[in-house]
Amino acid sequence: MTFTTTKLLCWVLIRVVATKEGLDLLDKAVHRMPVHYKQHIDGCLSDTIGEHGLSEVELAPMVDAAEKATSDLGNGVIQGAAEILALPTQRDDLAHLDAIAEEMRSRFETLIVLGTGGSSLGGRAITALRPDNAMKLQFVDNLDPATMSGLLDGTDFSRTGFLVVSKSGATSETMAQYLVSFAATQATLGGDASSHFVVITDPFDSPLRHLASVRGHTILDHDPGVGGRFSVLSNVGMLPAAIGGLNTNEVRSGAADVLEQALGSSAAETCPSALGAAICLGLARHRDARMSVLMPYADTLEPFAAWYCQLWAESLGKGGKGTTPVRALGPVDQHSQLQLYLDGPKDKIFTIVETAISGEGHEISDFEEAPASIEYLLGNSIGDLVAAQQLATRNTLIEHKCPTRFFSVPRIEESSMGALFMHFMLETMIAARMLGVDAFNQPAVEDGKARMRTYLENR
Amino acid sequence: MTFTTTKLLCWVLIRVVATKEGLDLLDKAVHRMPVHYKQHIDGCLSDTIGEHGLSEVELAPMVDAAEKATSDLGNGVIQGAAEILALPTQRDDLAHLDAIAEEMRSRFETLIVLGTGGSSLGGRAITALRPDNAMKLQFVDNLDPATMSGLLDGTDFSRTGFLVVSKSGATSETMAQYLVSFAATQATLGGDASSHFVVITDPFDSPLRHLASVRGHTILDHDPGVGGRFSVLSNVGMLPAAIGGLNTNEVRSGAADVLEQALGSSAAETCPSALGAAICLGLARHRDARMSVLMPYADTLEPFAAWYCQLWAESLGKGGKGTTPVRALGPVDQHSQLQLYLDGPKDKIFTIVETAISGEGHEISDFEEAPASIEYLLGNSIGDLVAAQQLATRNTLIEHKCPTRFFSVPRIEESSMGALFMHFMLETMIAARMLGVDAFNQPAVEDGKARMRTYLENR
């Protein structure tokens, strides 16, 4: 038992003495590092929400298991984790990525990123932060004939670059996207087309690698030890980030802070990811929480929620295990999903991501013809409204006894995004270890791929 | 019992004799109407997927109940349904909507639609079909200070119109969006600002109605008997559709075909919606299918899946009842969620929406340096690939014994979209009746709204 009785007592005491003060104390104890975010789990515990929450007796062994899994992560016992955990402290590759980004920005108006699933979601999530004046980025992650035709018909190829991302170098959607995009570019630009393409792929023989080499595209190695859904901190996420004018060093620093704190002691007090995994799996085991709803209150975090869904689903959904991630977005999904969340079956855990958004954006001014019934809006900024809404939703969920944790993110910026990426990657890896599944493979989808290929070959 | 033994026997016989021929026969019997779509439920039955599917003994009483509910819909027993079911055959309002649309297209380059939840999702879903040369439409359904600022900073107000949709005329997000948008427009255009706004709201006193009246905006009545999530066939969906250059008459005709067939006999053979509701609730009751995954294989149907999620969640999620809708998109989510779907817990029903997409889009040409490993792609169009993928995914799900139904939609166009809207609205109303919940209210969210208002007033 790494989670000793003393530690459990201490942790429970801090929380129980007085809820708010207890949490503040715990926060102070936990956050010696720069505070990129805080996780609050009180709304998942039976002390707060009664029978739908976890009791300390139920939580303690889950925390033990999570601490053991975290310790295994730090000790290199978990096959496939080391390469991912090496990324946050890596710096020597960033200058090269910045140089490529600088060149692309100078040559092109638009960058089209071709890639599907893990080759796209991380890049999408981090580049949602890019400033308005950044280079135009377009991620094409689905395969749809009308979308591809619309894209290529509307492209000024002379001012457009392509970034093609496929770890295996054989993903059929990405190969199809690439083949028609290159053919269209070449039809317009001839021999110059090749220099418009940058490729990220494994350093092994593959159709994409072969073609990129024959055609003379710039090639970057995909880290062969890092699977797509864990690749956001590698060049797969950092090159789009750099092209979008973001500080990639800060992204990795934020992730490194979280990682260092987590693995420094492997204890739940200093590893919010371990506590998060313990809560999620504890609620799944003891309270039938089949779904994990991630609901951020910021448009810039919408792609982050999609990234999380792949990470959690594909890493854990094996051998009948796993829970289903559901992405939501506040406040809009208050008008779409909240009725079900509050009053439907109690089969979910909710993770609300709140930001310090008060005072941001346009102010709703008072004006002459204002009816009394909207007085409550006047003098507030759009950010004030959103701040009130995220607080109201969190508290309403808790009031309805729905297991709810929330993250406070003071500021959505490169370092806090890096921290959030790392939090959820750690949480997922810890959860996989606790469930006894391999976080890094996806065996079931291979069956569908083989079937698709057979259908095409037998047309 | 409306579902007699003879009918059950007949239905089972048709299906059992020989699966494919049986289904074709059934299809022929069922579809005297124009065939906008076909629903195939075989992959949800124990004959096909064994113990994870429904047996005939389990399904029959669910079908009975669904037929009874359908009959109640037709007989006007269900409070709140009549106004919704009157929409498909309504025509007298369309010329007026077309005239407003024509005027907006002539005056503006861009239309910004302000509204959240049901005021936005239907319009988004239908206008996803608009041709490339249609007027630019931008739906602002979330509230985010950065997004609103970016929007207003980048707007040429002289060439921009606004459509403001709020049934109650008091929704705080929409009121906030409207107030800052009008203030910004007025700051630029002065007295001309008023004519840039069209408002759809209930014909009762409300802050939005009051302001629209005082300021002289064009006002259209929101049908007071039709709630937001059922409003797509009303002016809430049809005005954006008309502005996007779509044939609203065709949308309603497609819906009318489905409705007429469904209510003509109230029998499951002629009401795919009743059969769908029976399958969904049967799997929820007997096989713990907590989630209903809608996965279309077309980018244009992505907003449709979001529309479905609100419809199903908010209509059924009451008193501990309901199941959770999950939206997915093919093929991209094959690389994100499919591993979990195939090999995770068996707690879902999958609805795949397939389109006749073969041959569409760019062809992947053969070329000199093509490696042998991509030969299977060459000579195929992007549409051929997607066709193979939707077929592969459906069959892989069934092979993995996941309850799976699929819709074949020959062509995504106005009439088939109308048909799909009607199918799922009927399915939802039938399911609500079977569960004994009111499909048309959303009592739990009022609590959160009151809390938010209190927070703002006490700032």
Side-chain angles (χ1 to χ4, degrees):
Chain A
M1 293 248 296
T2 55
F3 194 78
T4 64
T5 314
T6 319
K7 280 160 62 189
L8 177 61
L9 256 178
C10 170
W11 174 71
V12 169
L13 264 177
I14 288 175
R15 211 178 39 69
V16 167
V17 173
T19 307
K20 192 177 171 320
E21 291 72 11
L23 275 176
D24 288 349
L25 260 178
L26 185 64
D27 286 338
K28 273 179 203 141
V30 168
H31 294 280
R32 291 178 300 267
M33 295 285 174
V35 181
H36 301 298
Y37 71 98
K38 293 186 191 182
Q39 177 186 234
H40 304 265
I41 61 152
D42 227 46
C44 296
L45 303 179
S46 58
D47 284 351
T48 306
I49 58 166
E51 57 175 348
H52 296 295
L54 288 175
S55 69
E56 274 127 32
V57 172
E58 289 163 333
L59 182 58
M62 302 305 296
V63 170
D64 275 352
E67 292 188 344
K68 174 71 172 61
T70 311
S71 172
D72 291 345
L73 268 178
N75 296 337
V77 178
I78 301 179
Q79 192 82 29
E83 292 87 343
I84 297 161
L85 300 183
L87 287 170
T89 49
Q90 191 174 309
R91 291 292 180 277
D92 52 2
D93 59 334
L94 295 181
H96 183 46
L97 296 182
D98 282 342
I100 296 175
E102 186 53 45
E103 200 211 333
M104 297 195 101
R105 281 200 301 260
S106 71
R107 292 180 59 202
F108 307 127
E109 271 166 11
T110 303
L111 179 80
I112 296 176
V113 183
L114 306 178
T116 194
S119 297
S120 168
L121 290 163
R124 250 180 211 239
I126 184 64
T127 58
L129 267 66
R130 69 187 185 276
D132 290 339
N133 61 0
M135 181 176 179
K136 195 179 160 212
L137 291 182
Q138 195 165 356
F139 288 84
V140 181
D141 59 354
N142 201 17
L143 192 66
D144 181 295
T147 305
M148 273 315 290
S149 296
L151 178 77
L152 296 176
D153 293 351
T155 291
D156 171 4
F157 291 103
S158 67
R159 300 289 293 149
T160 301
F162 290 86
L163 172 63
V164 188
V165 186
S166 168
K167 180 171 159 54
S168 69
T171 309
S172 58
E173 289 89 344
T174 310
M175 286 308 293
Q177 290 168 355
Y178 163 67
L179 291 170
V180 298
S181 297
F182 182 77
T185 310
Q186 199 179 33
T188 311
L189 303 181
D192 290 343
S194 282
S195 73
H196 286 241
F197 286 74
V198 173
V199 165
I200 299 180
T201 190
D202 270 349
F204 312 125
D205 187 33
S206 72
L208 180 58
R209 184 109 195 166
H210 172 78
L211 288 173
S213 173
V214 167
R215 290 169 170 176
H217 304 331
T218 299
I219 305 178
L220 292 171
D221 286 344
H222 195 299
D223 190 326
V226 176
R229 61 185 174 274
F230 290 96
S231 68
V232 60
L233 299 174
S234 77
N235 51 21
V236 172
M238 294 302 97
L239 181 55
I243 293 169
L246 297 171
N247 185 329
T248 52
N249 190 59
E250 282 292 305
V251 181
R252 286 207 179 137
S253 291
D257 289 341
V258 169
L259 184 65
E260 186 187 340
Q261 192 180 28
L263 299 189
S265 77
S266 310
E269 290 95 331
T270 52
C271 182
S273 301
L275 198 51
I279 291 280
C280 290
L281 297 192
L283 285 164
R285 175 182 295 180
H286 297 291
R287 294 295 178 282
D288 202 24
R290 307 289 186 94
M291 286 160 261
S292 174
V293 178
L294 184 65
M295 186 171 184
Y297 272 76
D299 284 345
T300 47
L301 292 179
E302 190 176 24
F304 180 81
W307 170 85
Y308 164 75
C309 285
Q310 186 203 21
L311 180 72
W312 188 258
E314 210 169 47
S315 301
L316 305 185
K318 285 153 203 174
K321 295 177 180 172
T323 66
T324 300
V326 176
R327 64 195 157 105
L329 182 67
V332 62
D333 278 321
Q334 296 174 190
H335 299 269
S336 169
Q337 305 302 306
L338 193 61
Q339 168 65 35
L340 171 75
Y341 292 167
L342 290 171
D343 201 28
K346 289 276 186 292
D347 52 10
K348 305 174 183 69
I349 168 174
F350 299 91
T351 302
I352 307 291
V353 182
E354 304 179 5
T355 61
I357 205 167
S358 284
E360 290 190 12
H362 280 65
E363 189 184 299
I364 302 169
S365 324
D366 200 355
F367 57 101
E368 213 170 301
E369 68 271 42
S373 51
I374 58 163
E375 256 173 26
Y376 76 102
L377 291 172
L378 306 176
N380 287 300
S381 68
I382 299 288
D384 293 335
L385 253 81
V386 178
Q389 288 182 310
Q390 59 192 9
L391 182 63
T393 296
R394 177 234 298 176
N395 286 343
T396 306
L397 281 164
I398 290 172
E399 192 71 31
H400 279 69
K401 307 189 185 311
C402 303
T404 304
R405 68 171 164 168
F406 65 95
F407 284 76
S408 306
V409 186
R411 215 179 129 71
I412 303 178
E413 57 195 350
E414 285 96 329
S415 59
S416 55
M417 282 300 287
L420 288 173
F421 285 129
M422 200 69 239
H423 173 98
F424 284 101
M425 285 196 280
L426 282 173
E427 187 169 301
T428 302
M429 289 189 267
I430 293 165
R433 182 75 173 171
M434 292 168 74
L435 290 174
V437 300
D438 182 346
F440 309 109
N441 66 356
Q442 50 282 336
V445 293
E446 301 306 326
D447 191 11
K449 287 186 196 168
R451 192 168 264 124
M452 187 272 291
R453 201 173 156 141
T454 307
Y455 291 152
L456 275 181
E457 283 166 350
N458 297 336
R459 279 186 70 230
Chain B
M1 292 247 296
T2 56
F3 195 78
T4 64
T5 313
T6 321
K7 281 161 60 190
L8 178 61
L9 254 179
C10 172
W11 174 71
V12 169
L13 263 177
I14 288 175
R15 209 178 41 69
V16 168
V17 174
T19 306
K20 190 174 172 323
E21 289 74 11
L23 276 176
D24 288 350
L25 261 178
L26 185 64
D27 287 337
K28 273 180 204 141
V30 168
H31 291 281
R32 291 177 302 267
M33 296 285 173
V35 181
H36 302 298
Y37 71 97
K38 294 185 189 181
Q39 177 186 234
H40 304 265
I41 61 151
D42 226 47
C44 295
L45 304 179
S46 57
D47 284 351
T48 306
I49 58 166
E51 59 176 344
H52 296 294
L54 289 176
S55 67
E56 275 127 30
V57 171
E58 289 162 333
L59 183 56
M62 303 303 298
V63 170
D64 275 352
E67 292 187 343
K68 174 71 172 62
T70 310
S71 171
D72 291 345
L73 268 177
N75 295 337
V77 179
I78 301 178
Q79 191 83 30
E83 292 88 343
I84 297 161
L85 300 183
L87 287 170
T89 49
Q90 191 175 310
R91 291 290 179 279
D92 52 1
D93 58 334
L94 294 181
H96 184 47
L97 296 183
D98 281 342
I100 295 176
E102 185 54 44
E103 198 211 333
M104 296 195 101
R105 281 201 301 260
S106 72
R107 291 181 60 204
F108 308 127
E109 272 165 11
T110 302
L111 179 80
I112 296 175
V113 183
L114 306 178
T116 194
S119 297
S120 168
L121 289 164
R124 251 181 209 238
I126 185 64
T127 59
L129 266 67
R130 69 187 184 276
D132 290 340
N133 61 359
M135 182 176 178
K136 195 177 161 212
L137 290 183
Q138 194 165 357
F139 288 84
V140 181
D141 60 354
N142 201 16
L143 193 68
D144 180 297
T147 305
M148 275 313 291
S149 297
L151 178 77
L152 296 176
D153 293 349
T155 291
D156 171 5
F157 292 102
S158 67
R159 301 288 294 149
T160 301
F162 290 85
L163 172 63
V164 188
V165 186
S166 168
K167 180 170 160 55
S168 69
T171 310
S172 58
E173 290 89 343
T174 310
M175 286 308 293
Q177 290 167 356
Y178 163 68
L179 291 170
V180 298
S181 297
F182 182 77
T185 309
Q186 198 178 36
T188 311
L189 304 181
D192 290 342
S194 282
S195 74
H196 286 240
F197 286 74
V198 173
V199 166
I200 299 179
T201 190
D202 269 350
F204 312 125
D205 187 35
S206 72
L208 180 58
R209 184 110 194 165
H210 173 78
L211 287 173
S213 173
V214 168
R215 291 170 170 175
H217 305 328
T218 299
I219 305 178
L220 292 171
D221 285 343
H222 194 299
D223 190 327
V226 176
R229 61 184 174 275
F230 290 95
S231 68
V232 59
L233 298 174
S234 78
N235 52 20
V236 173
M238 294 302 96
L239 182 55
I243 292 169
L246 297 172
N247 186 328
T248 52
N249 191 58
E250 283 291 305
V251 181
R252 287 207 180 138
S253 291
D257 289 341
V258 169
L259 183 64
E260 187 186 339
Q261 192 180 31
L263 299 189
S265 79
S266 308
E269 290 96 331
T270 51
C271 183
S273 300
L275 198 53
I279 291 278
C280 290
L281 296 192
L283 286 165
R285 175 182 295 181
H286 296 292
R287 295 292 179 283
D288 201 25
R290 308 289 187 94
M291 286 162 260
S292 174
V293 179
L294 184 65
M295 186 170 183
Y297 272 74
D299 284 346
T300 46
L301 291 178
E302 190 175 24
F304 180 81
W307 170 84
Y308 164 75
C309 285
Q310 186 204 19
L311 179 73
W312 188 258
E314 209 168 47
S315 302
L316 304 185
K318 285 152 203 174
K321 294 177 180 172
T323 66
T324 300
V326 176
R327 64 194 157 106
L329 182 68
V332 61
D333 277 322
Q334 297 174 189
H335 299 269
S336 169
Q337 305 301 307
L338 193 60
Q339 167 66 36
L340 171 75
Y341 292 168
L342 290 172
D343 201 29
K346 289 276 186 291
D347 51 11
K348 303 173 183 72
I349 168 174
F350 298 92
T351 302
I352 308 291
V353 182
E354 305 178 4
T355 61
I357 206 167
S358 285
E360 289 189 13
H362 280 65
E363 188 184 299
I364 303 169
S365 324
D366 199 357
F367 56 100
E368 213 172 303
E369 68 272 39
S373 52
I374 58 163
E375 256 173 26
Y376 76 102
L377 292 172
L378 306 177
N380 287 300
S381 69
I382 299 289
D384 293 335
L385 251 81
V386 176
Q389 287 182 311
Q390 60 192 8
L391 182 63
T393 296
R394 176 234 296 176
N395 286 343
T396 306
L397 282 163
I398 291 173
E399 192 72 31
H400 278 71
K401 307 190 184 311
C402 303
T404 305
R405 68 171 163 167
F406 65 94
F407 285 76
S408 305
V409 186
R411 215 178 129 70
I412 303 177
E413 56 194 352
E414 286 96 329
S415 59
S416 54
M417 283 299 288
L420 289 173
F421 284 130
M422 201 67 239
H423 174 99
F424 284 102
M425 285 195 281
L426 282 173
E427 187 170 301
T428 302
M429 288 189 267
I430 293 165
R433 182 74 173 172
M434 292 168 72
L435 290 173
V437 300
D438 182 346
F440 310 109
N441 68 354
Q442 51 282 336
V445 295
E446 301 306 326
D447 191 11
K449 286 185 197 169
R451 192 168 265 126
M452 187 272 292
R453 201 173 154 140
T454 308
Y455 291 153
L456 274 181
E457 282 166 350
N458 297 335
R459 278 185 72 228

